[in-house]
Amino acid sequence: MTVLKESEELILPLSPISTDEPKKCLEEFIGMRWYALRVYTASSLIILSTVMVIVFMVYAGATPVVLGCGTRMFSQPEDQKLACKWLHELRSNGSDCKPILDYQFESVNIQFDLICNDAITVKTSTSWQMFAILIGAFVFGQLSDFYGRRKVMLVALSGMMLGSLAVPCSKSFHVFFLLRLVVGFFAGGTSAFIYSLIFLTDERV
């Protein structure tokens, strides 16, 4: 047994200091429940609205099947090229007959009478709407760095909501197309904040 003298001190080895952050638990998440609930609800609504815009672009341009025009039924409606040719000839001769169409739901083509060769106009417009989403995500992402996420996100959500309410009031395809570009632009802006909201919440939790 070692006996220490009065002038000697007992020096014990120090345990290494842990630099690991304390593990986060469920209690911390529950503690900020209202904040997390608001953030995740807002992000879910943003994702839902963006998905709705994309789904609309996929199904809005569904092309109907031309069966006839007025009281005249085409003999070979399964051959749409021939049916569209007959329809074009009737309209070229001054006939104002209403096309007889077969469809599962009323798409933009039917609403604005864009069938046969004119259907490509709707397909092209959906491509431009997707391009508007990409531009909106880029523009609003840059604006959020200068003015803050909250203000810019509210502007994007308000613009998308107002544009969506104005779309059903379109009287022509050109107005409809411009309004859909506006909706796509602001929808792209909202998509720029989805992941930042979720990641910031995870950091706070």
Side-chain angles (χ1 to χ4, degrees):
M1 181 175 180
T2 304
V3 179
L4 297 177
K5 297 181 180 179
E6 294 181 358
S7 58
E8 295 179 352
E9 296 180 356
L10 179 62
I11 301 177
L12 299 176
L14 299 176
S15 59
I17 300 176
S18 176
T19 58
D20 297 336
E21 295 182 358
K23 294 184 178 180
K24 298 175 182 179
C25 58
L26 184 61
E27 293 181 357
E28 297 183 15
F29 180 83
I30 297 176
M32 49 183 302
R33 56 188 178 275
W34 294 115
Y35 174 81
L37 180 61
R38 288 195 299 268
V39 170
Y40 285 123
T41 300
S43 60
S44 299
L45 292 176
I46 293 174
I47 294 174
L48 179 62
S49 61
T50 306
V51 170
M52 289 175 61
V53 171
I54 297 175
V55 170
F56 175 83
M57 290 190 295
V58 172
Y59 291 99
T63 305
V65 177
V66 180
L67 300 178
C69 189
T71 58
R72 179 177 179 180
M73 298 297 294
F74 300 146
S75 58
Q76 297 178 348
E78 64 277 0
D79 188 354
Q80 283 299 289
K81 289 185 178 180
L82 184 58
C84 289
K85 180 180 178 181
W86 288 340
L87 178 62
H88 178 70
E89 290 178 355
L90 288 173
R91 290 184 170 181
S92 298
N93 294 329
S95 175
D96 57 350
C97 61
K98 185 177 180 180
I100 303 173
L101 306 174
D102 181 24
Y103 52 88
Q104 295 180 349
F105 55 90
E106 187 172 348
S107 62
V108 178
N109 302 58
I110 300 172
Q111 182 177 358
F112 296 106
D113 194 24
L114 298 173
I115 56 179
C116 293
N117 295 333
D118 296 332
I120 190 63
T121 305
V122 181
K123 300 293 184 181
T124 304
S125 69
T126 57
S127 301
W128 278 104
Q129 292 174 43
M130 182 61 71
F131 182 71
I133 292 177
L134 298 177
I135 296 298
F138 175 78
V139 171
F140 281 92
Q142 297 297 320
L143 292 176
S144 64
D145 294 336
F146 292 98
Y147 302 102
R149 292 186 180 91
R150 184 176 180 274
K151 294 180 179 179
V152 179
M153 182 179 66
L154 292 176
V155 172
L157 286 172
S158 301
M160 186 176 65
M161 181 183 67
L162 294 176
S164 299
L165 293 175
V167 166
C169 301
S170 304
K171 299 300 182 181
S172 66
F173 178 75
H174 298 290
V175 176
F176 173 85
F177 172 62
L178 292 176
L179 290 176
R180 289 303 304 176
L181 285 181
V182 172
V183 173
F185 177 75
F186 286 109
T190 58
S191 65
F193 306 101
I194 297 173
Y195 300 106
S196 61
L197 284 175
I198 297 176
F199 292 153
L200 288 175
T201 304
D202 291 340
E203 291 179 1
R204 292 191 58 177
V205 174

